[in-house]
Amino acid sequence: MRVAASAVCVSWVPAASVAEWLRGGFDGGLAHYDRPPLPGLAGGPDALDDLRLDERFRFANVLSGWAEFDDDGTPRAWGLDPAAGVVAGPSTVRLPAVDASFGGYALPILREDAVVEHGSVYLTQTAGGRTGVPIARTTARGGRTWEAPIVWSTLALTLRPDGPPEVTMPSASAFPRHWVYGPGGDVVLRSTPADVGSATWLAEVFAQRTPWGRVDSADLADAVARAVAQQLADGVLGGAEPVVREVPAGEAVDGAGLCVVLDGVLAVEREGGATAQLGPGAVLGEAALLGAGTGSTPRALTRARVALAPAGSVQTEKLRALAEAAGSAETAGPGG
């Protein structure tokens, strides 16, 4: 007997959160939030593309699996469908005041070995990434840093030959909201709304550990570098690979082109003064490449890792199209 089922967790940023604390935290303004997800997901994972284009989530964790059982309930084969994985929604926001953009990207999917017992197969999957919505917070040095948190969810699916599949969400990030759609397309789980803006909430959002390891670990930095390199190569570099390098604290990031912060904090300098501190996910250099300004000189406030795409390797028409799309997403408002 073959049993198959799918579950989807969508992670989304409510408008109320942006209105209360995110929007007020940026001198340049921020208006990119998500429309509430649908109460049902008719069509299952295949319907996610419409939700993504409608800006209703940041990341979707799709767990789709199957198991075959003998007549006595003994599992004899199991696995995940090709549809299992992560879907990233639109997540680029712009801060015109400092010529910076923040782009989201997915991190590698994490999967544990299936737990196989008589009469059941238990499958799990952790998926997510760094959202493009940065949070302004005060650093230990008394300055302000803009950093996008890591958003993730862990889904679990229990398959049985003699009953309906069971869907659970063993764990998830404190930010943002998470809705889980079961095999029938109905919302079966919702995360508890966080106490947005509290000290406890901020500590959870920027906790030192993620499912991929410490936020400052080499393994996580390598995973981020691979994700960003692929994103840049596919998006604006025509398949070319950006250069990833470490920048010591106090050193300026040299070279004209695009600069993406992978790890650490950069200060964006203008006319001899630092105007902003930008964390992982920030993209700098668009204005100069598109002829919209002279750009700015980023300098590492802490040890940092960056991805650099020289100006000659950037396909400016693609970059312009992406920048215009990001601007449209920012100003779309609640009506899309």
Side-chain angles (χ1 to χ4, degrees):
M1 177 181 181
R2 181 183 177 91
V3 179
S6 297
V8 177
C9 176
V10 294
S11 302
W12 62 289
V13 181
S17 296
V18 175
E20 292 177 7
W21 55 275
L22 280 180
R23 193 175 295 168
F26 299 99
D27 293 334
L30 177 64
H32 182 198
Y33 49 84
D34 302 323
R35 301 175 62 192
L38 299 175
L41 193 61
D46 293 338
L48 281 175
D49 196 48
D50 289 339
L51 290 186
R52 182 184 64 82
L53 295 176
D54 207 21
E55 297 182 8
R56 291 182 182 265
F57 65 86
R58 296 307 161 109
F59 294 100
N61 183 358
V62 181
L63 179 56
S64 183
W66 57 272
E68 294 182 358
F69 298 89
D70 291 334
D71 292 340
D72 65 352
T74 301
R76 57 187 176 88
W78 54 86
L80 296 177
D81 291 331
V86 60
V87 178
S91 55
T92 299
V93 296
R94 308 194 72 188
L95 300 174
V98 291
D99 286 340
S101 298
F102 285 78
Y105 44 84
L107 289 171
I109 297 168
L110 303 178
R111 293 169 177 147
E112 300 288 342
D113 291 338
V115 177
V116 181
E117 299 177 345
H118 183 78
S120 69
V121 172
Y122 180 82
L123 306 170
T124 62
Q125 176 175 281
T126 298
R130 195 179 289 277
T131 175
V133 175
I135 295 174
R137 61 192 182 107
T138 302
T139 66
R141 301 179 182 182
R144 174 188 289 180
T145 182
W146 293 337
E147 183 176 350
I150 292 177
V151 169
W152 56 273
S153 66
T154 298
L155 276 182
L157 185 63
T158 302
L159 302 175
R160 299 184 177 91
D162 56 356
E166 179 183 355
V167 178
T168 58
M169 184 172 60
S171 58
S173 59
F175 177 81
R177 291 293 307 277
H178 308 280
W179 283 13
V180 178
Y181 296 90
D186 297 326
V187 177
V188 295
L189 296 169
R190 290 183 175 89
S191 63
T192 302
D195 185 11
V196 175
S198 69
T200 301
W201 184 89
L202 285 173
E204 291 178 352
V205 169
F206 292 99
Q208 286 299 304
R209 293 197 62 80
T210 74
W212 293 268
R214 288 177 55 87
V215 294
D216 57 355
S217 69
D219 288 343
L220 181 55
D222 288 341
V224 171
R226 289 192 296 271
V228 171
Q230 190 64 52
Q231 185 184 66
L232 284 177
D234 293 344
V236 296
L237 300 184
E241 293 291 331
V243 176
V244 177
R245 61 174 289 237
E246 291 193 1
V247 184
E251 182 177 309
V253 179
D254 298 323
L258 286 182
C259 171
V260 183
V261 184
L262 305 177
D263 186 33
V265 179
L266 299 187
V268 178
E269 300 177 354
R270 278 186 172 179
E271 299 179 358
T275 60
Q277 297 175 18
L278 302 175
V283 182
L284 301 98
E286 290 181 37
L289 285 172
L290 297 178
T294 58
S296 53
T297 302
R299 184 177 299 274
L301 284 181
T302 67
R303 182 192 62 79
R305 181 183 289 199
V306 298
L308 300 173
S313 66
V314 177
Q315 298 182 342
T316 54
E317 290 307 311
K318 286 188 176 181
L319 178 62
R320 192 183 309 278
L322 290 174
E324 290 174 355
S328 297
E330 177 192 357
T331 57

